[in-house]
Amino acid sequence: MAEQHQTAVAGNGLLDRRIFLTAGVAGGAALLTAQAGGVEREAWMQMPGAPMSDNGAPSAHEAHVKRLAVSSQPGTTGTGVSRTPLEFLDGLITPSRLHFERHHSGIPAINPDEHRLVIHGMVARPLSFSLEALTRYPMKSRIQFLECSGNSGGLIAPEPLQQSCGVLHGLVAASEWGGVPLSVLLDEAGVKPGAKWIIADGADAAMMSRSVPLAKVMDDAIVALYQNGERLRPGNGYPMRLFLPGWEGNACVKWLRTIKVMDQPAMTKDETSKYSDLNEEGIARLFTFPMGVKSLITSPSHGFTMGPAGLYQVSGIAWSGSGKIRRVEVSADGGGSWADAALDEHVLPKCLTRFRSAWRWDGGPAVIMSRATDDAGNVQPTRSAVLQGRANGAFYHYNGIQAWAVNEAGEVANVYA
Amino acid sequence: MSMRNALLLVCAGTVGMGAALADDSPGLGQELTAAELAAVDFTIMPDGDGLPAGAGNAVTGRDLYNQNCLGCHGENGTGGVNDVLSGGHGSLAGPRPLKTVGSYWPYATTIFDYLRRAMPFQMPGSLSNDDIYAVTAYLLFVNDIIAEDAEIDAESLPQVRMPNRDNFVWGYTPE
């Protein structure tokens, strides 16, 4: 059945994506290496296994799958990042324990019983909400991505950094975020005419603060309490965080403490001196919130070594802060030709979308890359297009096409193509 | 009044205005007194709204900086292991932009706001408002933006015009 789709549809061995629609992808096509069989009873089948536990943990054989490149600024702990190990993951949900972190002064040890969310400023009634009170509000839950606007910043380096997919691009993750629509709380406080922004503060030691347009807040912002079905992890804002679907992670203030409704932004340190985009003429753009359309191949990627020539799955993630992914194309000849990738069933707005292509690697050198298009018609740009006009060192909002080179030994490297 | 009675009164008030709420909102927000609000309101706006009483200058600011900031940010705001705070003027359109408080930051009020929130890193909240005004003045002074003896307070700080103020555009325009 699968055989009929094994004809190449783009250069250097890319096959028709319909191979994923036919039953038994691994059957005749043998995309995956078959496990050797024949043993009647393996060692772990000869006695009862381990008991239940009250807290799940990954297999001991997966202990290497951890957050990557955990680092902090000199003289500090907890002022830096840890990255999602994208190259070890599949599907669209990021396990909470592997969700990247970006903190500005560590993770506060918040007592949820003492924490309050205060809404004030240009409102009729300044209000305070306990966590217990918030849990009684109608909630919304959506599966969406969160990306630091500094993600992929290493791709501005003049020569390609030989680092893994997760180290280079792991400041993105997708979770099911559940919480109370902030619009409901603002309506209760009574927003006054003329209000246009909120200033959100966190309860961390740096009191991280960002200004967010009121229009976005009333559209789809939530005070998130849940991540992947459980209460937020401390590193992601326990007990509550602001979540702004599709917008840069820094504005999704963790450990949310106060919201001040105002008619203008506060021009905080992070929104002016940090998360602003400088061009080569010395002009900086403020408030560049939405994350651009982007994709990357996670398997194979830097650090992988291919087996023998033959049929391989090329898999990756695509996302856009503007909406749904409409299309992902994959090239195996450095962008000379492209073939549509198959998208997994769940194609959700402002969420990671998993794509897959079948590639018959001939054992020779190849450059593989992916290119996403969202439902607003935005097409992922090339690296050179992203960097065009930018100041030297301007690394925020990098969404260029990622190329991986496979050599004759099957080794995969980061390249600019 | 006991805390319990106070809470009951607040609840009664909340229920009273609950009629204006959407049917699906339980209306559980607790109203706050002005004093309770002031205790959590750290926002400082570019026009100076939110700046507290107090004052300082770069002379006292230098001592405070050297005690609290120099370890990470270096002498006179440069040469430390963390963010460079001074210099870089005129570098932004060149081959090696150096973004510092003096060369990049558009608003002087942001300096006070950030220092009060987050610095000194190991002990945020440990400096008085006078101290924070003084360190703010020192950072402006080492960037050649104000004189060493200029008094910085809630009146004068918003009037300080940062050199790079006009080189920002907005990527988002509110409706």
Side-chain angles (χ1 to χ4, degrees), chain A residues 73-75 79 125 127-129 137-138 188 201 205 207 213 215 260 264 267 269 273-274 276 284-286 392, chain B residues 17 24 27-30 41-42 45 82-83 93 95 104-105 107 110 114 117 121-122 167-169 171-172 175:
Chain A
Q73 282 184 236
T79 300
R125 293 170 296 277
L127 295 174
S128 167
F129 297 88
Y137 281 72
E188 185 174 330
D201 284 10
M207 297 186 65
K260 189 171 189 179
Q264 57 183 304
M267 298 297 181
K269 182 269 289 182
S273 74
K274 295 296 179 185
S276 56
R285 290 181 82 77
L286 301 168
N392 184 19
Chain B
M17 61 104 190
D24 59 352
L28 298 173
Q30 303 278 304
D41 186 1
F42 276 73
M45 303 298 283
N82 274 311
D83 285 22
Y104 194 58
W105 292 32
Y107 297 97
T110 309
Y114 183 62
R117 289 173 183 279
F121 180 82
Q122 300 295 355
N167 290 321
F168 286 84
V169 294
Y172 173 89
E175 296 101 56

Side-chain angles (χ1 to χ4, degrees), chain B residues 68-81:
Chain B
N68 294 285
C69 322
L70 186 145
C72 285
H73 297 287
E75 205 165 333
N76 300 317
T78 186
V81 294

Side-chain angles (χ1 to χ4, degrees), chain B residues 48-107:
Chain B
D49 180 66
L51 280 171
N57 64 37
V59 177
T60 50
R62 173 182 282 109
D63 290 340
L64 289 160
Y65 177 90
N66 288 342
Q67 290 163 27
N68 294 285
C69 322
L70 186 145
C72 285
H73 297 287
E75 205 165 333
N76 300 317
T78 186
V81 294
N82 274 311
D83 285 22
V84 181
L85 306 178
S86 64
H89 295 245
S91 69
L92 299 183
R96 277 179 297 280
L98 178 58
K99 293 197 252 183
T100 73
V101 172
S103 71
Y104 194 58
W105 292 32
Y107 297 97

Side-chain angles (χ1 to χ4, degrees), chain A residues 171-197:
Chain A
L171 296 178
V172 67
S175 305
E176 181 183 4
W177 296 101
V180 181
L182 186 46
S183 61
V184 172
L185 305 178
L186 287 171
D187 284 346
E188 185 174 330
V191 174
K192 290 182 176 175
K196 289 193 169 71
W197 293 77

Side-chain angles (χ1 to χ4, degrees), chain A residues 272-352:
Chain A
T272 55
S273 74
K274 295 296 179 185
Y275 296 86
S276 56
D277 305 327
L278 185 66
N279 74 16
E280 63 190 359
E281 292 169 343
I283 304 296
R285 290 181 82 77
L286 301 168
F287 310 123
T288 51
F289 296 112
M291 299 308 294
V293 62
K294 187 167 174 179
S295 72
L296 55 110
I297 293 168
T298 55
S299 174
S301 58
H302 175 275
F304 283 51
T305 301
M306 309 286 283
L311 197 52
Y312 284 84
Q313 171 183 258
V314 172
S315 173
I317 48 175
W319 65 99
S320 168
S322 299
K324 290 182 182 176
I325 290 299
R326 176 196 290 168
R327 179 185 199 192
V328 179
E329 300 158 283
V330 171
S331 175
D333 58 5
S337 61
W338 299 83
D340 279 314
L343 305 183
D344 271 9
E345 180 180 352
H346 298 291
V347 180
L348 302 171
K350 302 173 185 176
C351 186
L352 300 187

